[in-house]
């Protein structure tokens, strides 16, 4: 199965750039996420973490 896929991909010109682009997107996303988490204010993180708990529970009777 892998030989079938590899054979088709080798026939495409410039296909070797896609793994590099994927790695760059992956690395950039997680680097930015890491920076956001470590530079965010503690109050903001606490507010976000309590959001699901602050919503009222909807029951069928409320609808």
């Amino acid at each position: 199965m892998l030989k079938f896929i590899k054979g088709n991909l080798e026939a495409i010109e410039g296909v070797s750039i896609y793994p590099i682009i994927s790695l760059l997107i992956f690395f950039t996303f997680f680097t930015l996420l890491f920076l956001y988490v470590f530079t965010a204010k503690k109050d903001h993180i606490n507010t976000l973490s309590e959001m699901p708990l602050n919503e009222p529970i909807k029951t069928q009777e409320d609808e």
Side-chain angles (χ1 to χ4, degrees), residues 1-13 15:
M1 177 84 177
L2 186 59
K3 290 180 182 180
F4 176 71
I5 294 171
K6 187 177 178 183
N8 286 334
L9 289 178
E10 287 176 349
I12 300 172
E13 229 176 281
V15 76

Side-chain angles (χ1 to χ4, degrees), residues 55-63:
E55 294 179 8
I57 300 174
K58 293 182 180 179
T59 61
Q60 290 180 354
E61 296 171 1
D62 293 340
E63 293 177 0

Side-chain angles (χ1 to χ4, degrees), residues 19-59:
I20 295 169
I21 292 172
S22 299
L23 178 65
L24 287 175
I25 291 171
F26 177 82
F27 182 76
T28 303
F29 175 77
F30 282 103
T31 301
L32 291 174
L33 187 65
F34 179 80
L35 290 174
Y36 171 74
V37 167
F38 281 101
T39 59
K41 295 185 177 175
K42 188 73 171 172
D43 292 337
H44 180 65
I45 299 296
N46 286 336
T47 303
L48 292 177
S49 67
E50 293 174 1
M51 279 175 58
L53 302 175
N54 291 336
E55 294 179 8
I57 300 174
K58 293 182 180 179
T59 61

